[in-house]
C-alpha cells in the first residue's frame, strides 16, 4: 500500500506577511520612535572612546603635561555611564515593543490552528503544525528581541561613525566607503543564496517533527507489528534531509563572513594609507589619524553584526511566513466572551439553592440543558481521506431537535467518520451535514452568540498538568466553583474528587496526581455540561469495559445528553436502549435505520449484532433497559 506524501500547511506570501505585521504593529509607533531615539544616543556615545584615544595620542605626540589626559578620561567615563543607561532603556523599550507582537503572532497562529478542519491538520501531519507554533515562533521571537535590536544598533553605529569620519576629514570617510561595494555584493549574494535554503530548511524541520511525532504516538503499534525498523528509516530520512539544509546554511554563512573579512581589510588599508598621506602632508595630525583608524576598526563589529543579523532575519522571515500561513487560514476568535458563551444571567450549574445541607452539591440537581433547537440533517454524504477511496457512501439522515441517535456497526464501518462530520470537525467530501440549514463545519467554533452549538466527546482525552478546576475551566473560563461542583456531581465524580488531597484544587496530570482513564472521561463529560451545547456527539466516549466504571460513565452520558440532540456511537449495544433511533452501518453504508425494538425483532443485521453481543457476555435481556 502506498502512502501519499503529507500536504503541508501553506506558507504566506511576502504581501500577506507584511499585511499581517502591519495589523499587529498598529498603534505602536510612539514606542518604536522611543526605541530608535535611545539607540541613536547609544550609538553616538560609542564614539567617545576613539575620540578620547585620539586626543590622548595627540597629547603624547605634543609632549603635553599629564593634566591633558583629564578631559579625555572624563569623556570616556561619562560616556560609559550614559551608554549604560541608554542601553538599558533601549533594551527595555525594545522588549515592550516586540514581545507583545510576537506573542500576538503565536496566539493568532494557535487560534487559527484550533479552528482548522481536522483533515487539513492530518494531511500535513501534526508535526508541521507543532513546528510552526513552537520552533518557528521561537525563531521569530528570538530574532525580534535580539537581532532586530542588534541590527538597528549596528546600522545607527555605522551611520554615526561615517559622520565622525567625515567630520575629521572627508577623505577618511571616502576611504572607509571603499569597503561598501564588496559588502553590498556579499550581502546580495548571501540573501539570494540563503533565502531558499532557510525556507526549505524550515519545511524540512516540519517534516522531521511530523515523522518523530507520528512514530512516538504509534510506538505500541509499531512494536506489536514489528514495524520499528521501517519507521526508524523514515525518521532517519526526514532527519537527514533537515540536516542537509543545516549544512548548506552553515557553508553559505562561512563564505559570507569570509568575504566580509576581505572588505574589512580593504577598508582599513585605505584608511591607514589616507592617514599616512594626510599626516605627512600636515593636513591632519596624529590624533585625528588615530581616531579615524579606531573609528573604522570600531565598524568591524557593527558591520558584521548588521550583515550577520540577516542570517537570523532570514530564518525568522521563513518562520514568520510559515506562522502567518497558518494564521491566514482562518480568523481568530471574534469577540466571544472569555468563557466562550454569553452571560445569560442564569445561575451556573443549576438552580440557586440546589445542594445538600452540608454544602456539597446534590447529584440530582438540575444541570443546564441545551435548548430544543434546530434539526440535524445529513444529505448525500460521501467522504474519503486524502484522495483515498470513499469510506462513507451516500449517507442520508434526519434527526429532529432533542432526539437521540445511536450509531452501531463493526470496527471500520465508518461510525467515527460520520461522528466527526456531524460534529463539524471536517467537511464531507461531497454532500452536506447541517444543523438548522447551517453546515456543521461552520459551527465547530463558537457561534456568534458565544455558545458552542456542537460538542464532540471521544474516548481519547487529554489531561493538562494543572488543577482539576483548571482542566474543567478549559470549557468555560468563568465557571464558578458552584457550577464546577454541580457538573462533577452530575457525572458521578463528586465523591472521588472530594477524596483528592486538595479536592478540586488538586494538581493533576503528568508528574502530579494521576487519574484513571474513567475519571478523565468523567471530567470530559463534566466539561460538556459547562459548555451547555445544543448537540452532543459521543464517539465511544464511555468505552471503559464492562465494569462499575462503565456503568458510572453510562449514567454520566445519559445526564449529559438529557434534553439535547445527541448522537452516540455505541461501543456497547446496551447504549441503544435509550436511543430514539438506531443507525446500523456496514462498510460506510447505512444498512438499517429505525426503532431499536423493531430492529431487534426484524431478524436483520442489528438483530444479529444484538444476539452475538448478548451471547458474548453481554446482558441476556434484549428489551429496553438492558444494561
Amino acid at each position: 500500500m502506498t502512502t501519499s506524501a503529507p500536504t503541508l500547511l501553506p506558507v504566506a506570501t511576502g504581501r500577506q506577511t507584511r499585511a499581517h505585521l502591519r495589523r499587529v504593529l498598529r498603534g505602536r509607533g510612539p514606542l518604536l520612535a522611543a526605541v530608535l531615539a535611545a539607540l541613536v544616543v547609544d550609538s553616538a556615545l560609542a564614539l567617545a572612546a576613539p575620540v578620547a584615544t585620539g586626543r590622548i595620542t595627540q597629547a603624547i605626540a605634543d609632549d603635553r603635561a599629564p593634566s591633558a589626559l583629564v578631559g579625555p578620561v572624563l569623556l570616556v567615563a561619562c560616556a560609559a555611564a550614559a551608554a549604560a543607561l541608554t542601553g538599558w532603556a533601549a533594551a527595555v523599550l525594545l522588549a515592550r515593543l516586540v514581545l507583545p507582537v510576537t506573542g500576538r503572532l503565536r496566539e493568532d497562529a494557535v487560534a487559527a490552528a484550533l479552528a482548522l478542519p481536522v483533515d487539513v491538520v492530518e494531511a500535513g501531519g501534526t508535526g508541521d503544525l507543532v513546528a510552526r507554533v513552537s520552533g518557528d515562533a521561537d525563531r521569530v521571537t528570538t530574532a525580534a528581541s535580539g537581532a532586530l535590536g542588534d541590527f538597528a544598533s549596528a546600522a545607527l553605529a555605522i551611520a554615526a561613525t561615517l559622520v565622525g569620519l567625515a567630520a575629521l576629514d572627508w577623505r577618511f570617510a571616502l576611504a572607509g566607503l571603499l569597503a561598501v561595494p564588496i559588502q553590498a555584493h556579499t550581502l546580495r549574494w548571501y540573501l539570494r543564496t540563503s533565502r531558499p535554503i532557510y525556507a526549505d530548511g524550515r519545511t524540512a524541520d516540519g517534516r522531521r517533527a511530523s515523522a518523530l511525532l507520528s512514530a512516538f504516538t504509534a510506538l505500541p503499534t509499531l512494536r506489536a507489528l514489528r514495524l520499528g525498523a521501517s519507521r526508524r528509516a523514515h525518521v532517519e530520512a526526514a532527519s537527514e534531509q533537515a540536516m542537509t539544509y543545516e549544512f548548506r546554511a552553515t557553508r553559505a554563512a562561512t563564505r559570507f563572513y569570509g568575504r566580509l573579512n576581505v572588505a574589512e581589510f580593504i577598508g582599513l588599508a585605505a584608511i591607514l594609507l589616507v592617514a599616512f598621506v594626510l599626516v605627512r602632508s600636515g593636513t591632519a595630525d596624529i590624533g585625528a589619524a588615530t581616531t579615524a583608524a579606531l573609528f573604522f576598526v570600531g565598524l568591524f563589529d557593527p558591520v558584521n553584526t548588521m550583515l550577520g543579523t540577516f542570517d537570523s532575519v532570514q530564518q525568522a522571515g521563513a518562520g514568520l511566513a510559515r506562522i502567518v500561513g497558518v494564521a491566514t487560514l482562518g480568523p481568530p476568535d471574534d469577540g466571544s466572551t472569555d468563557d466562550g458563551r454569553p452571560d445569560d444571567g442564569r445561575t451556573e450549574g443549576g438552580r440557586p439553592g440546589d445542594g445538600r445541607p452540608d454544602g456539597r452539591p446534590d447529584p440530582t440537581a438540575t444541570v443546564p440543558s441545551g435548548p430544543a433547537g434546530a434539526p440535524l440533517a445529513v444529505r448525500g454524504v460521501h467522504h474519503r481521506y486524502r484522495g483515498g477511496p470513499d469510506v462513507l457512501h451516500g449517507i442520508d439522515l434526519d434527526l429532529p431537535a432533542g432526539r437521540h441517535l445511536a450509531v452501531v456497526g463493526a470496527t471500520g464501518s465508518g461510525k467515527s467518520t460520520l461522528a466527526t462530520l456531524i460534529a463539524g470537525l471536517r467537511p464531507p467530501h461531497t454532500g452536506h451535514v447541517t444543523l438548522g440549514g447551517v453546515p456543521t463545519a461552520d459551527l465547530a467554533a463558537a457561534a456568534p452568540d458565544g455558545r458552542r452549538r456542537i460538542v464532540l466527546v471521544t474516548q481519547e482525552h487529554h489531561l493538562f498538568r494543572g488543577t482539576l478546576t483548571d482542566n474543567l475551566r478549559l470549557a468555560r473560563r468563568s465557571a464558578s466553583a458552584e457550577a464546577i461542583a454541580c457538573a462533577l456531581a452530575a457525572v458521578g465524580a463528586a465523591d472521588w474528587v472530594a477524596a483528592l488531597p486538595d479536592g478540586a484544587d488538586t494538581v493533576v496530570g503528568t508528574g502530579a496526581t494521576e487519574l484513571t482513564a474513567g475519571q478523565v472521561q468523567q471530567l470530559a463529560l463534566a466539561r460538556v455540561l459547562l459548555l451547555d451545547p445544543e448537540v452532543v456527539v459521543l464517539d465511544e466516549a464511555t468505552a471503559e469495559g464492562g465494569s462499575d466504571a462503565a456503568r458510572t460513565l453510562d449514567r454520566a452520558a445519559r445526564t449529559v445528553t438529557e434534553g439535547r440532540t445527541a448522537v452516540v456511537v455505541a461501543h456497547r449495544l446496551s447504549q441503544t436502549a435509550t436511543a430514539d433511533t438506531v443507525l446500523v452501518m456496514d462498510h460506510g453504508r447505512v444498512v438499517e435505520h429505525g426503532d431499536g425494538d423493531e430492529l431487534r425483532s426484524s431478524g436483520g443485521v442489528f438483530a444479529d449484532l444484538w444476539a452475538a453481543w448478548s451471547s458474548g457476555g453481554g446482558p441476556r435481556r434484549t428489551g429496553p433497559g438492558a444494561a
Side-chain angles (χ1 to χ4, degrees), residues 114-480:
L114 291 175
L116 288 177
V118 175
D119 283 346
V120 175
V121 178
E122 290 179 347
T126 54
D128 182 42
L129 183 57
V130 170
R132 294 183 189 227
V133 297
S134 57
D136 289 325
D138 288 341
R139 285 181 183 271
V140 173
T141 302
T142 301
S145 58
L148 179 62
D150 292 342
F151 179 86
S153 297
L156 292 172
I158 293 171
T161 301
L162 290 176
V163 171
L165 285 172
L168 293 172
D169 192 291
W170 64 269
R171 285 163 288 194
F172 285 132
L174 185 62
L177 289 175
L178 290 178
V180 172
I182 300 175
Q183 293 166 337
H185 176 75
T186 300
L187 179 61
R188 181 182 178 186
W189 167 84
Y190 182 67
L191 292 178
R192 187 174 60 249
T193 303
S194 63
R195 184 179 291 114
I197 294 177
Y198 286 125
D200 293 341
R202 293 307 303 153
T203 300
D205 282 345
R207 292 195 179 98
R208 176 172 57 186
S210 182
L212 288 169
L213 280 177
S214 62
F216 289 151
T217 55
L219 278 178
T221 302
L222 295 174
R223 288 169 179 162
L225 299 178
R226 300 183 183 277
L227 297 176
S230 61
R231 180 52 55 176
R232 184 169 58 250
H234 178 66
V235 171
E236 288 177 352
S239 299
E240 184 177 356
Q241 184 183 34
M243 287 189 297
T244 298
Y245 287 107
E246 292 175 5
F247 291 146
R248 288 176 57 190
T250 300
R251 286 193 293 269
T254 301
R255 295 175 62 187
F256 174 62
Y257 285 108
R259 296 183 183 186
L260 290 183
N261 290 337
V262 173
E264 292 170 355
F265 170 77
I266 292 176
L268 182 58
I271 288 284
L272 293 176
L273 180 61
V274 169
F276 174 78
V277 172
L278 294 180
V279 170
R280 187 167 185 176
S281 64
T283 307
D285 55 29
I286 295 177
T290 302
T291 300
L294 291 176
F295 274 175
F296 191 82
V297 170
L299 281 178
F300 289 179
D301 284 342
V303 169
N304 287 341
T305 297
M306 188 183 73
L307 299 182
T309 51
F310 276 95
D311 184 62
S312 298
V313 170
Q314 286 286 96
Q315 296 183 54
L320 180 61
R322 283 163 51 80
I323 295 172
V324 176
V326 177
T328 55
L329 285 176
D333 208 354
D334 57 352
S336 298
T337 56
D338 286 346
D339 59 351
R341 52 170 288 176
D343 182 7
D344 56 7
R346 179 175 56 188
T347 301
E348 300 175 86
R351 296 185 300 270
D354 284 344
R356 296 175 176 174
D358 61 1
R360 293 177 61 196
D362 184 353
T364 63
T366 302
V367 294
S369 61
L376 185 68
V378 180
R379 292 284 180 272
V381 165
H382 292 255
H383 192 69
R384 65 183 61 170
Y385 292 101
R386 295 180 59 188
D390 282 357
V391 295
L392 293 181
H393 307 272
I395 306 296
D396 288 290
L397 170 68
D398 286 293
L399 187 63
R403 306 283 285 181
H404 291 187
L405 171 72
V407 183
V408 300
T411 301
S413 60
K415 305 186 301 296
S416 293
T417 299
L418 179 61
T420 58
L421 295 181
I422 291 174
L425 293 190
R426 50 169 58 95
H429 184 67
T430 60
H432 306 280
V433 182
T434 60
L435 180 65
V438 180
T440 57
D442 295 340
L443 301 174
D449 63 357
R451 297 193 58 202
R452 299 262 176 184
R453 297 188 64 188
I454 305 177
V455 170
L456 171 69
V457 184
T458 70
Q459 61 179 310
E460 298 177 358
H461 310 299
H462 184 76
L463 190 67
F464 291 89
R465 181 179 170 87
T467 67
L468 188 142
T469 296
D470 289 339
N471 272 271
L472 290 175
R473 282 185 174 143
L474 290 171
R476 185 174 184 180
R477 294 183 186 178
S478 64
S480 66

Side-chain angles (χ1 to χ4, degrees), residues 579-591:
D580 300 301
T581 307
V582 175
L583 190 76
V584 184
M585 298 188 66
D586 184 42
H587 291 90
R589 291 182 170 84
V590 175
V591 294

